[in-house]
Amino acid sequence: MGGGTSAAAQALRQAEGGAVLGLTVEHRTDPLGVDAVRPCFGWRMRSAGRGQSQGAYQILVASSPDKLTGARADVWNSGRVSSSDSVAVRYTGKALRPSTRYHWSVTVWDAEGRPVGTGSPASFETGLMSTDGVAGWDGAQWIGMKGKTPNSAGAPMLRTEAALKNRSRVREARLYVSALGVYNAYINGHHVTVPQDGGSTIELLSPGWTNYDVRVNYMAYDVTDLVTRERAVTLAAVLGNGWYNSRASDGSTYYSSHGNALALKAKLLIRYADGSSQTVVTEPDGGWKATDTGPYRADDIYDGQTYDARMELSGWTASGFDVSTWSDVTRVALEDTYPDVQLLAYPGETARFMPRWDRRPQAIVVATGVTGQDGSPNGRGRIVVDPSRTVADPGKAASASVAIGTGETAVFDLGQNMVGVARYSLRGPAGAKVEFRFGEMLNDDSAGADGPEGSLYRANLRSAKATSTYILKGDRHGETHQDSLTFYGFRYVSVTATESVTITGLTGKVATSAIRETGTITTNAPDVNQLASNIRWGQRGNYLWVPTDCPQRDERLGWTGDTQVFATTALYNADAGVFLSHFQDTVVDSALIYGAGKAQFTGVAPGGRYNFPGGGSGWADAGVIVPWTVWQMTGDATIVEDNWPAMTRYLDWIQDQTGDTYAGQGSLTGDWLGLQKTSAQLMSDVYYGYVARLMAQMARATGRTAEGEAYERLFGRIKQAFITKYLSTEGGTVTVKSSLGDASPIEPGSDPNQKTEDNSQTALLWVLKLGFYETQAQRRALVGHLADNIGNDAAYKAAHPNSSRVRYAENTLSVGFLGVNVLAPVLTDEGRADLAYQLLHQDAMPSWLFSVKNGATTVWERWNSYAEDVGFGPVGMNSFNHYAYGAIMEWMYAYMAGIARDPDSPGFKRFLLQPHIDPTGGITQVSGSYESPYGVIKSEWKLEDGGRELVYDVDVPANSEAVLRLPAASADVVREGRRPLARAEGVRFIDHSDGEYVCQLTSGRYRITTKLR
């Protein structure tokens, strides 16, 4: 059932389709629940030849597939439109009706006016198309269990049963549902599912997390199959606390320490073949009943879930169940407390379980006790392993059964740090309590360990209990369970029991909102490939309804700084444009609730936890950077238009704070977790300049010429103020005075005696990125300072004895969160790809591969989160699944593989192909692909003939073009087959200078060779 066509089904349709394919509405395939009044359409062209581009299109929208002709289209006929646009083409037809399926197709002509083809008919279906929670809901209200004390034991279970009122065949059925809290929805005994990978799957923690006092999302599902051939319909739901009643929401305006009443709002719409319809809605007098006596005894985002199988109510979600002892329901008055709250359709793909990413155990260890405390370095000893029940072979561990008794512990290693829940089967006596504890690491013998060597390390979870508790009912055939009202971040599962039990089939069930992956990077360097895998897994885990910082400890918040740093990488890796656009809506809501002056974007969204007052640079700026990034990567300017008022309020607010000093608002976070300290005020000043420059670009692109010029002037004044304050030329050398001011005053685990330094890596990077210098001689000097800092050789250390750099190896980075995504791109742009590659290959601390060398399967929060020789990093803030430092993957796509966007042509309509060869020789082969809005871009290179020849394969999608930059000894050594590339079809030679060949490629597939020396 549910919200759209799966990626597998879409791929099948594309494989079977013709020259026009990939039809989307609001960036989704065959979506349900579209609430946009004027939705945007998109499609792609496919051509085996070169130079294929679109010259015109015609969109038809009709009430049925048979009306998709120019003469019969009864909803919209765009007519033949002369345009090459095929991304975010806005609907301008008749007003769309709620809960209505529309069919559409598009016909395309090429640039010469020849017919290209017509796309296979697609569809979209509107949602309720209202925002007040009243219109279209047919009287549905928020209801909860009457007499239920918030936070009391037992999750509310609600149900109603209604006879189908028409003997005619059910034509279709739709469920619209939301919750204050989270829900599991059931119809006629079946869990409501969504389509995925050619089958179906269940969601986790719908309807996600928003500022509940401003907006709540509802979901739309196709449940026709669950209602057809039934005489009655039973609609049921379990409600969980989710984020609504979690301490994740502490400090939020909607939060109550005593708990809020959980509530359900739903409308089941049934349409019959004879044209009649019937609705079942949530209302106090609608036959709804509720209980909290079921098996769901406790649930919490941080602490986990308790399920008592002895209390299961068999058949309660199906028709005919006896509810005579159940309680009534009551209206939950959300609108009375928050009269302006909006109820909106969720615009993207929901967070769900992805069976293809399930993880099975790679090893199982059974511990019977602890030994060696007296002789161990940390005094905690090591676990006593029972070899007869320990399984080290991954093939056997994946399916092994393990029996444990009281006082024993089984530790399952899933081989991958992941996010979701564990599914498991148990056999044992009724009443036996089994606890599954989750963690990312195992203890070693270091001082930072929190238990004996080999046991589960959990100190970094802080107050999160992260425990799944299951109480057996004693079924001799076994019983199977997976939590549904919480989630965990884990690689390891530690299991204990109050009585002897047998555990079988334990599986890590991966849940994510990043369900459709669009980019790949592989090389001939295994460690670099592992890093790419770690980054991808970090995104899967932390893109769960909102982009979180980490998924395991008592935080899991939508930190905006982390989000903006990683956004480009995220959009290369996955189809995340709608996900990030929805998050941006939440960011704007949060600014109005928690932001200074109702204008400053906040450090966290949604909710008020950790939304501390004071300088927010680098984090608050996400409110500008995320819209710019989504627009750049998707080509859809809707996010810019929708957020323009909020973005201008934010820039105006900064100007009100700092006036004609043209300084930034200040920053409490600075270059977070940077090992070389940079003035937090300097970071604020460069980010002020950065967002001013982005605003100028967005203004020009959306026709706001005067505003664009004003933001250009603002950028110029910020630049001059920065140069005056921070750029020193004393002694005849240029210096960035990044020591002017303290670093973050709130960074946990930092050395209070460490001082900020001049010419810090992050400061130099941003000065070069923004051009905050006056002459090219200064620029060259700044690049030299950066190279010296990174090189960090004996001479540099001798010249900077008080620098933090003296503690680290040569050719290492020292940036934090606000330097990590600009480091390699700036180096490469400044002609130092050699340094970028040296940093990529480095595995000494601090480096990206340091974590890989130490066994990481996701990216860590700190460069030194763990080391085999010294143990665990600062426990107060030490996540082993944090994606911020994974922003290096943006460079891997754009520079290593060479698939880069052209800032003047958002959405890869025109893009750059700029593969950079590894000067260190560590990587000799790279394969990159990215599914752009126009189709799949492939960029693959390998070195042959002892590194003297480059073989380059590239695909440029139809209706797009690329500017190619390749290293070449001369223009005539760049060839396709036996002829110079400049004479090949689809190629326009531009230039060859300084060892670089530049040309323009029209769409098509090319194999190019070039001599490097």
Side-chain angles (χ1 to χ4, degrees):
M1 322 304 139
T5 300
S6 70
Q10 180 179 356
L12 180 62
R13 169 187 287 173
Q14 292 182 359
E16 295 175 345
V20 180
L21 67 161
L23 277 63
T24 61
V25 173
E26 290 294 291
H27 303 283
R28 297 164 62 199
T29 304
D30 297 338
L32 293 183
V34 173
D35 264 3
V37 175
R38 294 176 58 220
C40 64
F41 294 78
W43 59 89
R44 296 174 184 167
M45 296 171 61
R46 178 167 54 197
S47 173
R50 291 184 180 175
Q52 181 74 292
S53 61
Q54 176 183 295
Y57 67 82
Q58 180 180 21
I59 298 173
L60 301 178
V61 181
S63 57
S64 62
D66 61 302
K67 293 182 179 178
L68 285 176
T69 65
R72 302 188 64 201
D74 56 347
V75 180
W76 184 38
N77 182 343
S78 71
R80 182 165 171 169
V81 179
S82 295
S83 171
S84 66
D85 292 344
S86 60
V87 173
V89 176
R90 192 64 60 184
Y91 173 83
T92 59
K94 295 179 181 178
L96 300 173
R97 295 176 298 171
S99 300
T100 301
R101 173 157 291 195
Y102 294 95
H103 303 267
W104 75 285
S105 190
V106 60
T107 299
V108 171
W109 293 265
D110 68 15
E112 284 70 45
R114 297 179 298 241
V116 172
T118 300
S120 298
S123 68
F124 67 97
E125 189 170 303
T126 53
L128 300 179
M129 301 194 75
S130 67
T131 63
D132 61 4
V134 177
W137 282 92
D138 292 342
Q141 300 178 41
W142 292 107
I143 61 170
M145 179 179 171
K146 190 173 185 178
K148 172 72 171 175
T149 302
N151 287 340
S152 59
M157 300 162 61
L158 289 73
R159 58 160 278 145
T160 192
E161 187 173 336
L164 294 184
K165 295 181 179 180
N166 193 318
R167 291 295 181 184
S168 174
R169 178 176 60 86
V170 171
R171 178 166 57 88
E172 61 185 16
R174 301 290 184 264
L175 175 64
Y176 308 96
V177 59
S178 184
L180 301 176
V182 296
Y183 66 80
N184 297 328
Y186 302 86
I187 290 181
N188 289 337
H190 298 280
H191 201 151
V192 174
T193 62
V194 291
Q196 187 62 46
D197 293 342
S200 63
T201 188
I202 59 174
E203 298 168 332
L204 181 65
L205 304 177
S206 295
W209 188 14
T210 53
N211 291 300
Y212 301 100
D213 44 347
V214 177
R215 76 175 69 211
V216 181
N217 286 131
Y218 73 87
M219 307 299 160
Y221 304 93
D222 181 348
V223 294
T224 305
D225 290 348
L226 303 184
V227 176
T228 305
R229 296 181 299 278
E230 301 286 344
R231 294 183 177 181
V233 61
T234 296
L235 175 58
V238 180
L239 299 180
N241 291 305
W243 296 271
Y244 189 52
N245 276 342
S246 168
R247 54 191 187 277
S249 292
D250 192 6
S252 305
T253 50
Y254 59 80
Y255 179 72
S256 169
S257 59
H258 303 293
N260 293 305
L262 301 181
L264 178 73
K265 187 165 189 170
K267 169 186 170 181
L268 175 62
L269 171 63
I270 304 168
R271 287 177 171 145
Y272 297 96
D274 63 3
S276 63
S277 64
Q278 175 183 355
T279 59
V280 179
V281 300
T282 49
E283 54 184 344
D285 301 324
W288 285 88
K289 291 289 185 177
T291 187
D292 62 0
T293 62
Y296 304 90
R297 304 315 308 150
D299 64 271
D300 183 86
I301 288 291
Y302 293 152
D303 294 337
Q305 183 172 328
T306 299
Y307 186 93
D308 189 341
R310 299 171 301 179
M311 303 176 72
E312 288 179 343
L313 304 174
S314 179
W316 77 275
T317 62
S319 300
F321 184 80
D322 181 6
V323 293
S324 59
T325 61
W326 285 32
S327 301
D328 290 332
V329 299
T330 187
R331 176 175 174 261
V332 175
L334 176 71
E335 299 92 340
D336 295 355
T337 308
Y338 305 111
D340 296 325
V341 67
Q342 294 188 315
L343 187 57
L344 303 170
Y346 187 75
E349 304 295 351
T350 54
R352 61 192 61 176
F353 290 105
M354 297 291 291
R356 59 187 156 103
W357 293 329
D358 283 357
R359 305 298 299 186
R360 300 304 299 271
Q362 300 295 293
I364 306 170
V365 173
V366 176
T368 58
V370 180
T371 188
Q373 292 96 322
D374 293 341
S376 68
N378 63 10
R380 297 180 182 273
R382 62 185 181 276
I383 62 172
V384 177
V385 175
D386 180 355
S388 67
R389 288 178 287 170
T390 292
V391 185
D393 181 342
K396 295 179 180 178
S399 57
S401 294
V402 179
I404 59 171
T406 305
E408 296 179 332
T409 303
V411 178
F412 293 80
D413 176 5
L414 296 174
Q416 173 63 57
N417 202 7
M418 52 157 284
V419 172
V421 301
R423 182 176 180 85
Y424 45 80
S425 296
L426 298 169
R427 290 195 310 276
K433 182 168 73 171
V434 187
E435 291 187 331
F436 297 77
R437 294 180 175 85
F438 299 87
E440 300 177 292
M441 299 285 283
L442 296 181
N443 278 304
D444 56 15
D445 62 359
S446 71
D450 69 343
E453 183 179 355
S455 66
L456 198 63
Y457 172 77
R458 304 232 304 165
N460 71 318
L461 303 185
R462 302 191 302 212
S463 71
K465 296 176 182 176
T467 301
S468 173
T469 302
Y470 185 89
I471 302 172
L472 279 81
K473 59 187 174 185
D475 189 329
R476 63 187 180 87
H477 300 293
E479 39 204 287
T480 300
H481 176 73
Q482 70 182 54
D483 287 347
S484 60
L485 301 176
T486 189
F487 70 97
Y488 310 95
F490 64 102
R491 171 177 172 171
Y492 299 94
V493 187
S494 175
V495 187
T496 59
T498 58
E499 300 183 57
S500 295
V501 299
T502 299
I503 308 140
T504 60
L506 188 142
T507 304
K509 303 290 292 183
V510 174
T512 183
S513 295
I515 64 172
R516 196 174 77 83
E517 298 189 337
T518 51
T520 61
I521 292 281
T522 56
T523 76
N524 63 307
D527 284 350
V528 174
N529 292 343
Q530 183 63 54
L531 173 63
S533 173
N534 292 2
I535 294 166
R536 192 178 302 280
W537 275 99
Q539 180 175 354
R540 288 171 183 165
N542 282 296
Y543 270 34
L544 190 79
W545 293 109
V546 299
T548 57
D549 59 325
C550 61
Q552 73 298 91
R553 68 180 179 229
D554 56 355
E555 198 161 344
R556 315 185 195 188
L557 303 175
W559 284 102
T560 49
D562 307 45
T563 300
Q564 64 91 358
V565 165
F566 189 74
T568 301
T569 294
L571 287 161
Y572 271 119
N573 278 339
D575 182 9
V578 176
F579 174 84
L580 286 172
S581 297
H582 179 263
F583 180 66
Q584 175 69 16
D585 293 340
T586 301
V587 169
V588 173
D589 291 343
S590 289
L592 293 171
I593 303 169
Y594 307 107
K598 296 186 179 298
Q600 182 195 33
F601 296 118
T602 54
V604 169
R609 192 175 183 209
Y610 298 140
N611 268 326
F612 35 74
S617 287
W619 272 249
D621 299 304
V624 174
I625 298 168
V626 168
W628 179 84
T629 305
V630 171
W631 166 58
Q632 283 283 305
M633 294 294 288
T634 66
D636 186 352
T638 302
I639 190 171
V640 175
E641 297 286 357
D642 289 350
N643 288 281
W644 192 255
M647 293 190 294
T648 54
R649 276 198 309 272
Y650 174 59
L651 269 293
D652 291 346
W653 175 82
I654 299 176
Q655 282 195 277
D656 288 344
Q657 307 308 302
T658 63
D660 59 9
T661 67
Y662 298 106
Q665 64 192 277
S667 179
L668 285 173
T669 45
D671 186 28
W672 192 250
L673 299 184
L675 295 176
Q676 185 180 33
K677 297 305 179 187
T678 301
S679 160
Q681 183 59 49
L682 179 146
M683 295 308 306
S684 178
D685 295 351
V686 296
Y687 259 91
Y688 187 20
Y690 183 47
V691 296
R693 192 169 76 175
L694 299 185
M695 290 293 287
Q697 184 183 352
M698 289 187 283
R700 290 192 303 269
T702 55
R704 297 175 168 90
T705 304
E707 287 177 276
E709 292 171 351
Y711 283 120
E712 285 285 7
R713 289 192 297 270
L714 175 61
F715 174 78
R717 289 165 181 159
I718 294 168
K719 173 181 176 177
Q720 190 55 54
F722 182 95
I723 290 172
T724 300
K725 179 176 180 179
Y726 294 107
L727 217 62
S728 167
T729 56
E730 290 183 17
T733 183
V734 64
T735 300
V736 179
K737 304 293 288 184
S738 45
S739 65
L740 291 180
D742 295 330
S744 169
I746 62 170
E747 184 179 296
S750 62
D751 179 356
N753 298 316
Q754 185 178 344
K755 305 298 184 183
T756 51
E757 303 177 33
D758 289 340
N759 287 338
S760 70
Q761 276 186 28
T762 296
L764 288 165
L765 289 163
W766 274 100
V767 167
L768 289 166
K769 177 179 175 64
L770 296 179
F772 279 6
Y773 46 78
E774 294 178 312
T775 67
Q776 289 304 305
Q778 289 180 353
R779 175 185 181 180
R780 289 190 295 271
L782 293 168
V783 173
H785 289 330
L786 181 58
D788 290 343
N789 185 314
I790 291 169
N792 200 29
D793 60 15
Y796 180 86
K797 291 177 180 176
H800 302 83
N802 297 319
S803 172
S804 61
R805 299 291 289 135
V806 300
R807 299 197 294 269
Y808 301 112
E810 295 182 6
N811 296 317
T812 53
L813 51 77
S814 64
V815 298
F817 278 34
L818 297 187
V820 70
N821 65 322
V822 298
L823 175 56
V826 167
L827 284 171
T828 310
D829 288 341
E830 296 295 343
R832 296 308 306 267
D834 59 326
L835 287 179
Y837 271 105
Q838 285 175 10
L839 291 175
L840 179 67
H841 290 302
Q842 177 65 267
D843 64 7
M845 167 67 190
S847 67
W848 285 287
L849 295 188
F850 180 77
S851 61
V852 172
K853 183 177 72 173
N854 282 274
T857 60
T858 42
V859 175
W860 295 345
E861 178 174 21
R862 295 176 176 270
W863 297 115
N864 61 339
S865 282
Y866 175 80
E868 291 179 353
D869 55 345
V870 297
F872 298 94
V875 70
M877 194 184 69
N878 194 24
S879 157
F880 293 95
N881 192 352
H882 241 76
Y883 56 56
Y885 287 149
I888 180 61
M889 203 163 179
E890 171 186 346
W891 176 85
M892 294 166 70
Y893 279 107
Y895 292 85
M896 188 170 73
I899 304 171
R901 63 178 186 265
D902 179 344
D904 295 326
S905 182
F908 293 81
K909 175 71 168 175
R910 183 176 66 250
F911 59 95
L912 307 178
L913 290 167
Q914 52 179 27
H916 284 74
I917 310 307
D918 183 358
T920 73
I923 292 176
T924 59
Q925 187 170 340
V926 172
S927 177
S929 71
Y930 168 59
E931 187 180 335
S932 79
Y934 294 89
V936 176
I937 302 167
K938 290 184 179 179
S939 179
E940 302 177 352
W941 59 264
K942 61 181 176 179
L943 296 179
E944 294 186 346
D945 191 22
R948 289 183 289 271
E949 182 177 68
L950 175 70
V951 178
Y952 183 55
D953 291 287
V954 60
D955 286 2
V956 178
N959 203 30
S960 70
E961 62 183 20
V963 173
L964 170 64
R965 298 178 180 274
L966 273 183
S970 66
D972 58 0
V973 300
V974 184
R975 310 182 77 81
E976 184 180 43
R978 295 183 177 181
R979 62 183 170 182
L981 181 62
R983 297 214 306 263
E985 179 189 1
V987 179
R988 182 174 67 84
F989 175 74
I990 296 175
D991 187 33
H992 179 270
S993 60
D994 298 325
E996 184 179 67
Y997 181 98
V998 184
C999 67
Q1000 181 173 303
L1001 302 180
T1002 60
S1003 65
R1005 178 169 295 176
Y1006 301 81
R1007 166 162 275 210
I1008 301 166
T1009 60
T1010 175
K1011 298 291 184 181
L1012 302 180
R1013 59 182 186 273

